[in-house]
Coordinates of all heavy atoms in Angstrom, one line a residue:
R98 N 6.9 -12.2 -14.5 CA 7.2 -11.4 -15.7 C 8.4 -11.9 -16.5 O 8.4 -12.0 -17.7 CB 7.3 -9.9 -15.3 CG 7.3 -9.0 -16.5 CD 7.4 -7.6 -16.2 NE 6.2 -7.2 -15.4 CZ 6.2 -6.4 -14.3 NH1 7.4 -5.9 -13.9 NH2 5.1 -6.0 -13.7
A99 N 9.5 -12.3 -15.7 CA 10.7 -12.7 -16.4 C 10.5 -14.1 -17.1 O 11.2 -14.4 -18.0 CB 11.8 -12.9 -15.4
N100 N 9.5 -14.8 -16.7 CA 9.2 -16.1 -17.3 C 8.0 -16.1 -18.3 O 7.5 -17.1 -18.6 CB 8.9 -17.2 -16.2 CG 10.2 -17.6 -15.5 OD1 10.9 -18.4 -16.0 ND2 10.4 -16.9 -14.3
G101 N 7.6 -14.9 -18.6 CA 6.6 -14.7 -19.7 C 5.2 -15.0 -19.2 O 4.3 -15.3 -20.0
M102 N 4.9 -15.0 -17.9 CA 3.6 -15.2 -17.4 C 2.8 -13.9 -17.3 O 3.4 -12.9 -16.9 CB 3.6 -15.9 -16.0 CG 4.2 -17.2 -16.0 SD 4.1 -17.9 -14.3 CE 5.3 -19.2 -14.4
H103 N 1.6 -13.9 -17.6 CA 0.7 -12.7 -17.5 C 0.1 -12.7 -16.1 O -0.4 -13.8 -15.7 CB -0.4 -12.8 -18.6 CG -1.1 -11.5 -18.7 ND1 -2.2 -11.2 -17.9 CD2 -0.9 -10.4 -19.5 CE1 -2.6 -10.0 -18.3 NE2 -1.9 -9.5 -19.2
P104 N 0.1 -11.6 -15.4 CA -0.4 -11.6 -14.0 C -1.9 -11.9 -13.9 O -2.3 -12.4 -12.8 CB -0.1 -10.2 -13.5 CG 0.1 -9.4 -14.8 CD 0.6 -10.3 -15.8
I105 N -2.7 -11.7 -14.9 CA -4.1 -12.0 -14.8 C -4.4 -13.3 -15.5 O -5.1 -14.2 -14.9 CB -4.9 -10.8 -15.4 CG1 -4.7 -9.6 -14.6 CG2 -6.4 -11.2 -15.4 CD1 -5.3 -8.3 -15.2
K106 N -4.0 -13.5 -16.7 CA -4.3 -14.7 -17.5 C -3.7 -15.9 -16.8 O -4.4 -17.0 -16.8 CB -3.8 -14.6 -18.9 CG -4.4 -13.5 -19.8 CD -3.8 -13.5 -21.1 CE -4.3 -12.4 -22.0 NZ -3.6 -12.2 -23.2
D107 N -2.5 -15.8 -16.3 CA -1.9 -17.0 -15.7 C -1.9 -17.0 -14.2 O -1.1 -17.6 -13.5 CB -0.4 -17.0 -16.2 CG -0.3 -17.1 -17.7 OD1 -1.1 -17.7 -18.3 OD2 0.7 -16.4 -18.2
R108 N -2.9 -16.4 -13.6 CA -3.0 -16.2 -12.1 C -3.1 -17.6 -11.4 O -2.4 -17.8 -10.4 CB -4.3 -15.4 -11.8 CG -4.3 -15.2 -10.3 CD -5.5 -14.3 -9.9 NE -5.3 -13.0 -10.5 CZ -6.3 -12.1 -10.7 NH1 -7.5 -12.4 -10.4 NH2 -6.1 -11.0 -11.2
A109 N -3.8 -18.5 -12.0 CA -3.9 -19.9 -11.4 C -2.6 -20.6 -11.4 O -2.2 -21.1 -10.3 CB -5.0 -20.7 -12.1
M110 N -1.9 -20.5 -12.5 CA -0.6 -21.1 -12.5 C 0.4 -20.4 -11.6 O 1.2 -21.1 -10.9 CB 0.0 -21.1 -13.9 CG 1.3 -21.8 -14.1 SD 1.8 -22.1 -15.8 CE 1.6 -20.5 -16.6
I111 N 0.4 -19.1 -11.5 CA 1.3 -18.4 -10.6 C 1.0 -18.7 -9.1 O 1.9 -19.0 -8.4 CB 1.1 -16.8 -10.8 CG1 1.7 -16.5 -12.2 CG2 1.8 -16.1 -9.7 CD1 1.4 -15.0 -12.6
D112 N -0.3 -18.8 -8.8 CA -0.7 -19.2 -7.4 C -0.3 -20.6 -7.1 O 0.1 -20.9 -5.9 CB -2.2 -19.0 -7.2 CG -2.7 -17.6 -7.2 OD1 -1.8 -16.7 -7.0 OD2 -3.9 -17.3 -7.4
A113 N -0.3 -21.5 -8.1 CA 0.1 -22.9 -7.8 C 1.6 -23.0 -7.7 O 2.1 -23.7 -6.9 CB -0.4 -23.8 -8.9
L114 N 2.4 -22.3 -8.6 CA 3.8 -22.5 -8.6 C 4.6 -21.6 -7.6 O 5.6 -22.1 -7.1 CB 4.3 -22.1 -10.0 CG 4.1 -23.1 -11.2 CD1 4.6 -22.5 -12.5 CD2 4.8 -24.4 -10.9
M115 N 4.2 -20.4 -7.4 CA 5.0 -19.4 -6.8 C 5.4 -19.8 -5.3 O 6.5 -19.4 -4.9 CB 4.4 -18.1 -6.8 CG 4.6 -17.4 -8.1 SD 6.3 -17.3 -8.5 CE 6.2 -17.1 -10.3
P116 N 4.6 -20.4 -4.5 CA 5.1 -20.7 -3.1 C 6.4 -21.5 -3.2 O 7.4 -21.2 -2.5 CB 4.0 -21.4 -2.4 CG 2.8 -21.0 -3.2 CD 3.2 -20.7 -4.6
R117 N 6.4 -22.5 -4.0 CA 7.6 -23.4 -4.1 C 8.8 -22.6 -4.8 O 9.9 -22.7 -4.3 CB 7.2 -24.6 -4.9 CG 8.3 -25.7 -5.0 CD 7.8 -27.0 -5.6 NE 7.1 -26.7 -6.8 CZ 7.7 -26.8 -8.0 NH1 8.9 -27.1 -8.2 NH2 7.0 -26.6 -9.1
V118 N 8.5 -21.9 -5.8 CA 9.5 -21.2 -6.6 C 10.1 -20.1 -5.7 O 11.3 -19.9 -5.7 CB 8.9 -20.6 -7.9 CG1 9.8 -19.6 -8.5 CG2 8.5 -21.7 -8.8
L119 N 9.2 -19.4 -5.0 CA 9.7 -18.3 -4.1 C 10.6 -18.8 -3.0 O 11.6 -18.2 -2.7 CB 8.5 -17.6 -3.5 CG 8.8 -16.3 -2.8 CD1 9.4 -15.3 -3.7 CD2 7.5 -15.7 -2.2
D120 N 10.3 -20.0 -2.4 CA 11.2 -20.6 -1.4 C 12.5 -20.9 -2.0 O 13.6 -20.7 -1.4 CB 10.5 -21.9 -0.8 CG 9.3 -21.5 0.1 OD1 9.3 -20.4 0.6 OD2 8.5 -22.4 0.3
M121 N 12.5 -21.5 -3.2 CA 13.8 -21.9 -3.8 C 14.6 -20.6 -4.2 O 15.8 -20.6 -4.0 CB 13.6 -22.7 -5.1 CG 13.0 -24.1 -4.7 SD 13.0 -25.3 -6.0 CE 12.2 -24.5 -7.4
A122 N 13.9 -19.6 -4.7 CA 14.6 -18.3 -5.0 C 15.2 -17.7 -3.8 O 16.3 -17.1 -3.9 CB 13.6 -17.4 -5.7
K123 N 14.5 -17.7 -2.7 CA 15.0 -17.2 -1.4 C 16.3 -17.9 -1.0 O 17.2 -17.3 -0.5 CB 14.0 -17.2 -0.3 CG 12.9 -16.2 -0.5 CD 12.0 -16.2 0.7 CE 10.7 -15.7 0.5 NZ 9.8 -15.9 1.6
Q124 N 16.3 -19.3 -1.1 CA 17.5 -20.0 -0.8 C 18.7 -19.6 -1.7 O 19.8 -19.5 -1.1 CB 17.2 -21.5 -1.0 CG 16.3 -22.1 0.1 CD 15.9 -23.6 -0.2 OE1 16.3 -24.1 -1.2 NE2 15.1 -24.1 0.6
V125 N 18.4 -19.5 -3.0 CA 19.5 -19.1 -3.9 C 20.0 -17.7 -3.5 O 21.2 -17.4 -3.5 CB 19.0 -19.1 -5.3 CG1 20.1 -18.5 -6.2 CG2 18.7 -20.5 -5.7
K126 N 19.0 -16.8 -3.1 CA 19.4 -15.4 -2.7 C 20.2 -15.4 -1.5 O 21.1 -14.6 -1.4 CB 18.1 -14.6 -2.5 CG 18.3 -13.2 -2.2 CD 18.7 -12.4 -3.4 CE 18.6 -10.9 -3.1 NZ 19.0 -10.1 -4.2
R127 N 20.0 -16.3 -0.5 CA 20.8 -16.4 0.7 C 22.2 -16.8 0.3 O 23.2 -16.3 0.9 CB 20.2 -17.4 1.7 CG 19.1 -16.7 2.5 CD 18.6 -17.7 3.6 NE 17.2 -17.6 3.6 CZ 16.4 -18.6 3.3 NH1 16.8 -19.7 2.9 NH2 15.1 -18.4 3.4
Q128 N 22.4 -17.7 -0.6 CA 23.7 -18.2 -1.0 C 24.4 -17.1 -1.9 O 25.6 -17.0 -1.7 CB 23.6 -19.5 -1.8 CG 23.1 -20.6 -1.0 CD 22.7 -21.8 -1.9 OE1 22.8 -21.8 -3.1 NE2 22.2 -22.9 -1.3
R129 N 23.7 -16.4 -2.7 CA 24.3 -15.4 -3.6 C 23.5 -14.1 -3.5 O 22.5 -13.9 -4.2 CB 24.3 -15.9 -5.0 CG 25.1 -17.1 -5.3 CD 25.0 -17.5 -6.7 NE 25.9 -18.6 -7.0 CZ 27.1 -18.4 -7.6 NH1 27.5 -17.3 -7.9 NH2 27.9 -19.5 -7.8
P130 N 23.8 -13.3 -2.5 CA 23.0 -12.1 -2.3 C 22.9 -11.1 -3.5 O 22.0 -10.3 -3.6 CB 23.8 -11.4 -1.1 CG 24.6 -12.4 -0.5 CD 24.9 -13.4 -1.6
R131 N 23.9 -11.2 -4.4 CA 23.8 -10.3 -5.6 C 22.9 -10.8 -6.7 O 22.7 -10.1 -7.7 CB 25.2 -10.1 -6.1 CG 26.1 -9.3 -5.2 CD 27.4 -9.0 -5.8 NE 28.2 -8.3 -4.9 CZ 29.5 -7.9 -5.1 NH1 30.1 -8.4 -6.3 NH2 30.2 -7.2 -4.3
M132 N 22.3 -11.9 -6.5 CA 21.4 -12.5 -7.5 C 20.1 -11.6 -7.6 O 19.7 -11.1 -6.6 CB 21.0 -13.9 -7.1 CG 20.2 -14.6 -8.1 SD 18.4 -14.9 -7.9 CE 18.1 -15.0 -6.2
R133 N 19.6 -11.4 -8.8 CA 18.4 -10.7 -9.0 C 17.3 -11.7 -9.2 O 17.4 -12.6 -9.9 CB 18.5 -9.8 -10.2 CG 19.6 -8.8 -10.1 CD 19.2 -7.6 -9.2 NE 20.2 -6.6 -9.2 CZ 20.9 -6.3 -8.1 NH1 20.8 -7.0 -7.0 NH2 21.8 -5.3 -8.1
Y134 N 16.1 -11.4 -8.6 CA 15.0 -12.3 -8.8 C 14.5 -12.4 -10.2 O 14.0 -13.4 -10.7 CB 13.8 -11.9 -7.9 CG 14.1 -12.2 -6.4 CD1 14.3 -11.1 -5.5 CD2 14.0 -13.5 -5.9 CE1 14.6 -11.4 -4.2 CE2 14.3 -13.7 -4.6 CZ 14.5 -12.7 -3.7 OH 14.7 -13.0 -2.4
R135 N 14.7 -11.3 -11.0 CA 14.3 -11.3 -12.4 C 15.1 -12.2 -13.2 O 14.8 -12.5 -14.3 CB 14.3 -9.9 -12.9 CG 15.6 -9.2 -13.0 CD 15.5 -7.8 -13.6 NE 16.8 -7.2 -13.5 CZ 17.1 -6.3 -12.6 NH1 16.3 -5.9 -11.7 NH2 18.3 -5.7 -12.6
N136 N 16.3 -12.7 -12.7 CA 17.2 -13.6 -13.4 C 16.8 -15.0 -13.1 O 17.6 -15.9 -13.4 CB 18.6 -13.3 -13.1 CG 19.0 -11.9 -13.6 OD1 18.4 -11.4 -14.5 ND2 20.1 -11.4 -13.1
V137 N 15.7 -15.3 -12.5 CA 15.3 -16.7 -12.1 C 14.4 -17.2 -13.2 O 13.4 -16.6 -13.6 CB 14.6 -16.7 -10.8 CG1 14.0 -18.1 -10.5 CG2 15.5 -16.3 -9.7
E138 N 14.7 -18.4 -13.8 CA 13.9 -19.0 -14.8 C 13.3 -20.3 -14.2 O 14.0 -21.1 -13.5 CB 14.7 -19.4 -16.0 CG 13.9 -20.0 -17.1 CD 14.7 -20.4 -18.3 OE1 15.8 -19.8 -18.5 OE2 14.2 -21.3 -19.0
I139 N 12.0 -20.5 -14.4 CA 11.3 -21.6 -13.9 C 11.4 -22.7 -14.9 O 11.1 -22.6 -16.1 CB 9.8 -21.3 -13.6 CG1 9.7 -20.2 -12.6 CG2 9.1 -22.6 -13.1 CD1 8.3 -19.7 -12.5
T140 N 11.9 -23.9 -14.5 CA 12.1 -25.0 -15.4 C 11.3 -26.2 -14.8 O 10.7 -26.1 -13.7 CB 13.5 -25.5 -15.6 OG1 14.1 -25.9 -14.3 CG2 14.4 -24.3 -16.1
D141 N 11.2 -27.3 -15.5 CA 10.5 -28.5 -15.0 C 11.2 -29.1 -13.8 O 10.5 -29.6 -12.9 CB 10.4 -29.6 -16.1 CG 9.6 -29.1 -17.3 OD1 8.8 -28.2 -17.1 OD2 9.8 -29.6 -18.4
N142 N 12.5 -29.0 -13.7 CA 13.2 -29.6 -12.6 C 13.4 -28.6 -11.4 O 13.8 -29.0 -10.3 CB 14.7 -29.9 -13.1 CG 14.6 -30.9 -14.2 OD1 13.6 -31.6 -14.4 ND2 15.7 -30.9 -15.0
G143 N 13.0 -27.4 -11.6 CA 13.2 -26.4 -10.5 C 13.5 -25.0 -11.0 O 12.8 -24.6 -11.9
L144 N 14.5 -24.4 -10.5 CA 14.9 -23.1 -10.9 C 16.2 -23.1 -11.7 O 17.1 -23.9 -11.4 CB 15.0 -22.2 -9.7 CG 13.8 -21.8 -8.9 CD1 14.1 -20.9 -7.8 CD2 12.7 -21.2 -9.8
K145 N 16.3 -22.1 -12.6 CA 17.6 -21.9 -13.2 C 17.9 -20.4 -13.0 O 17.1 -19.6 -13.3 CB 17.5 -22.3 -14.7 CG 18.8 -22.3 -15.4 CD 18.6 -22.8 -16.8 CE 19.9 -22.9 -17.5 NZ 19.7 -23.4 -18.9
V146 N 19.1 -20.1 -12.4 CA 19.4 -18.8 -12.1 C 20.5 -18.3 -13.1 O 21.6 -19.0 -13.2 CB 19.9 -18.6 -10.7 CG1 20.3 -17.2 -10.3 CG2 18.8 -19.1 -9.7
Y147 N 20.3 -17.2 -13.7 CA 21.3 -16.6 -14.6 C 22.1 -15.5 -13.8 O 21.5 -14.6 -13.4 CB 20.7 -16.0 -15.8 CG 20.0 -17.0 -16.7 CD1 18.6 -17.1 -16.7 CD2 20.7 -17.8 -17.6 CE1 18.0 -18.1 -17.5 CE2 20.1 -18.7 -18.4 CZ 18.8 -18.8 -18.3 OH 18.2 -19.8 -19.1
L148 N 23.4 -15.7 -13.7 CA 24.2 -14.8 -13.0 C 25.2 -14.2 -13.9 O 25.9 -14.9 -14.6 CB 24.9 -15.4 -11.8 CG 24.1 -16.0 -10.7 CD1 24.9 -16.8 -9.7 CD2 23.4 -14.8 -9.9
P149 N 25.2 -12.9 -14.1 CA 26.3 -12.3 -14.9 C 27.6 -12.5 -14.3 O 27.8 -12.5 -13.1 CB 26.0 -10.8 -14.9 CG 24.7 -10.6 -14.2 CD 24.3 -11.9 -13.5
V150 N 28.6 -12.8 -15.2 CA 30.0 -13.1 -14.7 C 30.9 -11.9 -14.7 O 32.0 -12.0 -14.3 CB 30.6 -14.3 -15.5 CG1 29.9 -15.6 -15.2 CG2 30.6 -14.0 -17.0

Side-chain angles (χ1 to χ4, degrees):
R98 191 177 294 138
N100 286 281
M102 294 183 198
H103 191 274
I105 297 171
K106 293 177 185 174
D107 303 324
R108 184 177 295 161
M110 184 169 44
I111 290 172
D112 290 343
L114 285 176
M115 281 303 158
R117 187 172 49 94
V118 169
L119 190 61
D120 289 339
M121 292 191 310
K123 285 186 207 173
Q124 288 174 359
V125 173
K126 182 75 169 178
R127 277 188 223 111
Q128 294 168 359
R129 294 179 175 260
R131 292 183 178 175
M132 187 256 326
R133 301 280 183 251
Y134 287 108
R135 64 178 175 260
N136 295 338
V137 173
E138 182 182 336
I139 302 171
T140 63
D141 294 336
N142 302 336
L144 292 181
K145 190 174 187 179
V146 180
Y147 295 102
L148 295 171
V150 291

